[in-house]
Amino acid sequence: MSNQIILPRIMQVGEGASNEVPNVLASLGCKRPLIITDNMMVELGYAARIQECLSRHQIASDVFADTVPEPTVSSIQAGVDRVRDGDYDSIIALGGGSPIDSAKAIAILGKHGGTMRDYKFPRMVIEAGLPIVAVPTTAGTGSEVTRVTIITDETTDEKMLCMGIGFMPVAALVDYNLTLSLPSRITADTGIDALTHAIEAYVSKKANLYSDSQALSAMRLLAPNLRRAYHDGADKEAREAMMLGSTLAGVAFSNASVALVHGMSRPIGAAFHVPHGLSNAMLLPSVTQYSLPAAPKRYADCARAMGVADVQDSVEVANDKLLKELHALNDELQVPTPARFGIDRQTFFDLMPTMAEQALASGSPNNNPRVPSIDDMIAIYRQLW
Ligand SMILES: [Fe+2]
């Protein structure tokens, strides 16, 4: 039995990696990039810095900065038009998960046409879009190393999972310097997302020896540094570990898949506009508790990799420590309950069956060590209150 592992062709990793963008483009034979980003990256001067860096190497670039958080079919349309009307040979995707996910969709639709729904899972997108050089500024969604993008259909509030080698960036420039100015809330939300990727990849039914090694390394980097980066954003050592950890977690889940947390999290995000990492954080303790009986040894490994259990601890003790840690982490990182986030209880309860159906349709719950029924998922949603 073998597993196919899909990765970017180039990974530039470490302090200052984003300055290498001209060299990376040159080695890919690209000369005319469109930078796809958001207004925050423009305000922070990150987009201008990339442009200056390119112009020093006589590379002319344009900026499309109108991507939005949790991208939708209509939010990416202007970017698709821009690519169709322009003479671009590559895309530089700069920002958190949303600009990178937007760029992936734009790269495919801009080149091959059609609508996003045409590319929805279970179709595997093998077409090559415009080559993407991903420059993440959070640690992170791992989108720079995954063959997945998530685009919401705003007419149905469905987060459409789109998958295939066509969505894999050709290069990832992983530069923790770009995360030093992240606000603590985003550090927490994206950091828990990364930790969730690592845990879910490790307990996934599609886990393999390769993804396991990446997932465990990711947990070792992420777990001890998440609190540090949250409390002191200028802690370079913690930021560096978080950045590499999130990229490795991305590699792990892209090659093993995510599971129940992500499956149940997407509908919450689509219906109530909860940031992706935050809805994951809300679900992680309850979903872990539900899933533990089906993979106690795997979860014990997670607890040990995260540094919350010792080698001598029994599986049962390690599982217990993991659950305690996940609750403690949410408390310390001030993850709100759905109520505190401002979600109306009645609306949430009314939507639970629909959200459970959407979760199931995404395919992710089937990768969970314990595969839930619709009623199981409704019971977990209810536990969040
Ligand atoms: Fe995620």
Side-chain angles (χ1 to χ4, degrees):
M1 161 99 183
S2 68
N3 297 94
Q4 185 176 65
I5 308 301
I6 299 174
L7 297 166
R9 281 156 70 190
I10 300 174
M11 287 172 68
Q12 188 85 35
V13 182
E15 185 168 24
S18 60
N19 300 329
E20 298 301 319
V21 68
N23 299 333
V24 169
L25 282 178
S27 63
L28 296 165
C30 296
K31 299 183 179 73
R32 180 76 178 115
L34 174 66
I35 300 170
I36 293 183
T37 187
D38 61 22
N39 286 313
M40 181 57 71
M41 294 299 121
V42 173
E43 274 167 36
L44 288 170
Y46 288 0
R49 257 190 34 214
I50 297 271
Q51 282 201 290
E52 283 158 21
C53 199
L54 291 167
S55 63
R56 280 199 295 274
H57 289 75
Q58 288 75 48
I59 299 174
S61 61
D62 293 328
V63 175
F64 173 78
D66 292 334
T67 65
V68 300
E70 319 290 324
T72 63
V73 168
S74 66
S75 82
I76 58 170
Q77 191 54 47
V80 174
D81 296 341
R82 190 76 175 270
V83 164
R84 285 204 188 133
D85 299 340
D87 58 348
Y88 307 107
D89 64 4
S90 50
I91 287 172
I92 296 169
L94 171 70
S98 297
I100 299 178
D101 273 6
S102 300
K104 289 176 172 183
I106 292 167
I108 289 288
L109 289 177
K111 191 164 172 188
H112 298 284
T115 66
M116 205 62 221
R117 187 161 283 278
D118 299 336
Y119 297 93
K120 195 185 123 174
F121 181 81
R123 172 169 171 188
M124 282 292 152
V125 178
I126 52 167
E127 295 88 341
L130 280 187
I132 293 176
V133 175
V135 187
T137 59
T138 61
T141 63
S143 189
E144 70 278 7
V145 290
T146 72
R147 59 197 166 107
V148 178
T149 185
I150 311 264
I151 304 293
T152 301
D153 180 345
E154 61 271 62
T155 61
T156 57
D157 266 354
E158 181 194 359
K159 284 203 161 192
M160 296 187 291
L161 177 68
C162 304
M163 201 183 261
I165 194 169
F167 294 116
M168 176 62 78
V170 290
L173 313 189
V174 183
D175 185 350
Y176 71 87
N177 268 354
L178 303 182
T179 66
L180 291 173
S181 57
L182 273 185
S184 56
R185 182 75 262 140
I186 298 181
T187 299
D189 295 350
T190 52
I192 296 181
D193 185 30
L195 183 62
T196 307
H197 293 154
I199 294 173
E200 294 216 281
Y202 192 72
V203 302
S204 163
K205 282 189 170 169
K206 293 185 183 155
N208 52 75
L209 199 53
Y210 182 89
S211 63
D212 284 353
S213 69
Q214 308 297 302
L216 290 171
S217 299
M219 284 182 247
R220 286 184 195 112
L221 288 162
L222 295 166
N225 289 292
L226 181 46
R227 287 178 173 87
R228 276 175 64 177
Y230 173 73
H231 291 301
D232 176 12
D235 183 337
K236 282 189 154 196
E237 211 177 67
R239 291 290 198 188
E240 184 171 25
M242 290 298 297
M243 194 75 191
L244 180 58
S246 86
T247 296
L248 295 182
V251 169
F253 91 80
S254 186
N255 291 290
S257 89
V258 282
L260 186 55
V261 176
H262 274 74
M264 291 182 62
S265 169
R266 292 184 207 106
I268 297 181
F272 301 102
H273 307 288
V274 181
H276 171 70
L278 203 52
S279 48
N280 281 346
M282 289 172 181
L283 283 160
L284 185 58
S286 299
V287 170
T288 303
Q289 185 160 22
Y290 168 82
S291 310
L292 259 169
K297 283 193 185 129
R298 288 248 138 191
Y299 281 106
D301 289 344
C302 292
R304 293 184 186 112
M306 287 166 61
V308 297
D310 297 326
V311 202
Q312 308 94 291
D313 287 330
S314 67
V315 166
E316 202 178 20
V317 169
N319 285 171
D320 200 44
K321 286 182 171 177
L322 176 65
L323 277 179
K324 285 207 178 87
E325 166 64 3
L326 296 180
H327 284 289
L329 194 59
N330 277 1
D331 285 347
E332 191 164 339
L333 271 45
Q334 299 189 301
V335 172
T337 59
R340 229 187 252 150
F341 184 79
I343 295 175
D344 176 62
R345 187 175 193 272
Q346 195 55 49
T347 314
F348 189 91
F349 273 57
D350 288 347
L351 267 178
M352 286 189 313
T354 312
M355 293 197 295
E357 293 285 356
Q358 286 178 350
L360 191 68
S362 76
S364 302
N366 282 328
N367 302 320
N368 207 56
R370 184 175 172 193
V371 178
S373 65
I374 292 283
D375 286 346
D376 289 343
M377 284 191 275
I378 291 174
I380 294 170
Y381 279 133
R382 196 174 287 126
Q383 267 181 33
L384 304 186
W385 292 80

